[in-house]
Amino acid sequence: MDTDQLTQNYQQQLHNLLPPGPAWSDNDPLLAGLVPAFAAVHERANDLVRESDPRQTVELLERWETVSGLPDSCSVPGADTLEERQRRLNSKVNAVGGITEDFYLSVLDDIGYPDATITTFGGDNFRCTSHCNDSLHDEMSNFVWQVNFTEETKVFSMTCDSKCNEHIRTWGNTVAECVMNKLCPSHTVVIFSYP
């Protein structure tokens, strides 16, 4: 609802609350002075409702992040946009843990990779009695899985403005890789694949 409509609604509500009679006019200065204040309080209450959603928070973003333990070791200081910070916060606050493929895909979706897929390498091991089209993977492959990104890898090169202890070149999506490595079961290894 826009501000003009909200102001008109409060004007009408206050007018309806007045007792009937000639004591009050339609353009009473007291009512005209109260209406903008009521409308402003109403709008700020709507802002507070929006701020309670991690996907939409702006004013309370830093407080949300502090409560959620963000930024963490996966965050790159000063590199995240507002939208990326909101997505990361939403993923951290609303993630329901699990070790299923659906859980990891939902986390990837929350942090901005809805098209990512997961490949697992486990399954039956190939034996001399196996069919020729059976898997060739060994038992250790049961503990390896791969996250497949649809976007090309990001490459960051050192520049003359870089600090002397920075890497000459880095590649990959460090935030998504860090989040997946933090969430993966400790007995597994995650491989990241880029086109």
Side-chain angles (χ1 to χ4, degrees), residues 75-128:
S75 302
V76 180
D80 294 334
T81 65
L82 175 65
E83 183 180 309
E84 290 170 337
R85 289 172 64 192
Q86 289 169 333
R87 281 197 313 253
R88 179 85 166 91
L89 175 66
N90 183 54
S91 173
K92 181 106 180 203
V93 169
N94 293 318
V96 178
I99 56 171
T100 64
E101 185 175 328
D102 290 337
F103 166 70
Y104 293 108
L105 289 174
S106 72
V107 169
L108 287 165
D109 185 29
D110 287 344
I111 60 176
Y113 298 93
D115 298 329
T117 60
I118 292 178
T119 304
T120 55
F121 299 107
D124 293 333
N125 300 319
F126 193 85
R127 295 181 173 77
C128 60

Side-chain angles (χ1 to χ4, degrees), residues 15-52:
H15 182 69
N16 291 344
L17 289 172
L18 294 175
W24 298 95
S25 68
D26 288 340
N27 298 325
D28 190 275
L30 176 63
L31 295 181
L34 290 174
V35 167
F38 289 150
V41 168
H42 186 108
E43 287 178 336
R44 286 305 286 165
N46 287 341
D47 290 343
L48 183 59
V49 170
R50 270 192 303 280
E51 291 293 320
S52 68

